[in-house]
Amino acid sequence: MEVKEAKPPSGYGKPPWEFKGRQDALYQLHLVKSETARAFIPKEFKLVEAFGYTLGGFFLASYDDSPAGIFDELVVIAGIVWNPPTSCAWAARVLVNSDEACVHGRKVGSSLMDVGLPSQVARFSKQRITPIARQSENNSNRFLRMIGVGTVLSHPKNCLDIQVSEINGTSATDICTINVGTAALAKAVPELNSNKLIGPVIKMSLPSFSGRTEYYPHLLKYSCQIECRIRAVRPAKVSVPSVAPKSATEQFPETPSSKFVDSIISRDLVQNKRNLSISVLLSKPILALEFNCLKMQVEAPTIVCPWSEYTFRAV
């Protein structure tokens, strides 16, 4: 999908920008191979790593109130970079099902509104899966059944399959399917009565870097102020579609032009970055945190390092 930059998105005013989501958001940390993460991270940064791995993963959210209205977002996090006295996450890819959010994430032409993210429009297809009730065989549940308390589910949650497909013009490329649990019990109870079910209220600041993309060459730093209820949950399962081999009948000119060669190189670079993003999603999960009643405030980015000798490679 071609993103036009003729004018700024109508919903985005001056920062900070506020995003809210009452549905569950998932922040999942993975052990990502350092060599995979380095493909995304600018040479200025030192990767935070140990034994050949860094901390990456993804952030999956559904916003029902934002400057761009209602939209879904999947942020693929390549790894953690060192920025004394702390560290910051680096986003490898940002997939959103909103043209407006995509344009704003890339670059919209105003220094107060440049975010410099590798944003791409995507489709989020959701399918709810209800688990089959099974009776547990432990002594306590046998006693409950004897007194007629009912059937105990082996899995207390419903599941939700979220298929994410990247949109390019009229074509779509399936990226992954994320199978997550949904806190159906917590949502069924009014908020005041379900606070204990969905964890304590916390406030935190997540510093991040961005920039160095095709749409914004400068290096930026920004902060997300988050308020939510948080609890540890079972990690979501990520699966990807099987990749069909290239057609053997694909024809190339015997004497390709420079433009043709450049287009092939660009296509291969984009495909490689996409495949590396998928590798991050498929890496080993170590911790999953569920955010409920999410309120996120994104501060105005600041330029850390202007573009100079950095050579851009397509993301």
Side-chain angles (χ1 to χ4, degrees):
M1 177 176 291
E2 184 66 24
V3 178
K4 299 180 180 179
E5 297 181 0
K7 60 181 180 179
S10 59
Y12 285 86
K14 293 182 178 180
W17 303 290
E18 294 187 353
F19 301 80
K20 297 179 182 179
R22 293 189 60 82
Q23 298 183 25
D24 302 335
L26 184 66
Y27 188 19
Q28 188 158 304
L29 293 174
H30 290 198
L31 284 177
V32 179
K33 289 184 178 180
S34 299
E35 59 184 355
T36 300
R38 285 196 186 99
F40 298 99
I41 294 172
K43 59 185 179 182
E44 294 95 326
F45 289 123
K46 180 180 180 181
L47 186 66
V48 178
E49 60 181 319
F51 306 107
Y53 289 88
T54 185
L55 278 179
F58 65 87
F59 177 70
L60 177 65
S62 180
Y63 305 110
D64 51 26
D65 185 10
S66 80
I70 299 173
F71 72 94
D72 298 318
E73 178 181 54
L74 173 63
V75 182
V76 182
I77 303 169
I80 305 296
V81 297
W82 179 240
N83 179 49
T86 184
S87 57
C88 295
W90 186 271
R93 208 166 194 82
V94 178
L95 300 169
V96 292
N97 58 354
S98 164
D99 293 331
E100 189 171 349
C102 180
V103 172
H104 177 260
R106 288 178 175 179
K107 178 180 183 291
V108 292
S110 168
S111 60
L112 288 176
M113 298 173 69
D114 292 336
V115 183
L117 291 170
S119 297
Q120 179 66 40
V121 175
R123 179 175 64 239
F124 289 69
S125 303
K126 302 177 183 179
Q127 180 179 5
R128 189 171 299 278
I129 302 172
T130 303
I132 299 174
R134 281 194 319 207
Q135 293 181 345
S136 177
E137 295 302 323
N138 62 50
N139 291 332
S140 332
N141 288 327
R142 282 179 188 157
F143 175 74
L144 290 175
R145 290 198 302 276
M146 288 175 62
I147 62 175
V149 171
T151 303
V152 177
L153 291 178
S154 61
H155 197 308
K157 293 183 178 182
N158 291 327
C159 292
L160 188 68
D161 272 350
I162 304 174
Q163 182 180 356
V164 184
S165 303
E166 189 174 303
I167 306 298
N168 290 286
T170 58
S171 64
T173 302
D174 292 339
I175 300 299
C176 68
T177 298
I178 303 175
N179 179 267
V180 298
T182 58
L185 178 60
K187 291 179 181 178
V189 181
E191 184 178 350
L192 293 177
N193 296 327
S194 62
N195 290 344
K196 293 183 180 180
L197 295 173
I198 57 178
V201 176
I202 67 164
K203 295 181 180 181
M204 58 183 173
S205 177
L206 296 178
S208 299
F209 282 109
S210 62
R212 295 288 196 245
T213 70
E214 178 183 4
Y215 307 96
Y216 195 84
H218 300 305
L219 185 62
L220 298 171
K221 184 179 180 181
Y222 64 98
S223 177
C224 296
Q225 309 297 328
I226 292 179
E227 178 181 340
C228 63
R229 294 186 176 275
I230 189 171
R231 65 173 180 175
V233 295
R234 185 187 301 273
K237 295 180 179 179
V238 181
S239 59
V240 298
S242 57
V243 180
K246 291 184 178 180
S247 172
T249 60
E250 185 175 10
Q251 298 295 319
F252 298 96
E254 294 182 2
T255 55
S257 66
S258 60
K259 288 185 178 180
F260 178 82
V261 172
D262 289 343
S263 68
I264 294 298
I265 292 174
S266 177
R267 184 184 67 184
D268 288 345
L269 286 171
V270 171
Q271 182 63 42
N272 185 47
K273 291 289 188 180
R274 184 185 295 124
N275 290 341
L276 289 172
S277 298
I278 293 174
S279 295
V280 172
L281 293 169
L282 292 177
S283 55
K284 183 177 179 58
I286 58 173
L287 176 65
L289 298 174
E290 184 182 86
F291 294 172
N292 291 277
C293 305
L294 174 68
K295 297 179 183 179
M296 181 171 66
Q297 181 174 285
V298 180
E299 305 292 342
T302 57
I303 295 179
V304 177
C305 180
W307 182 88
S308 57
E309 299 178 354
Y310 182 82
T311 302
F312 169 74
R313 289 185 178 272
V315 175

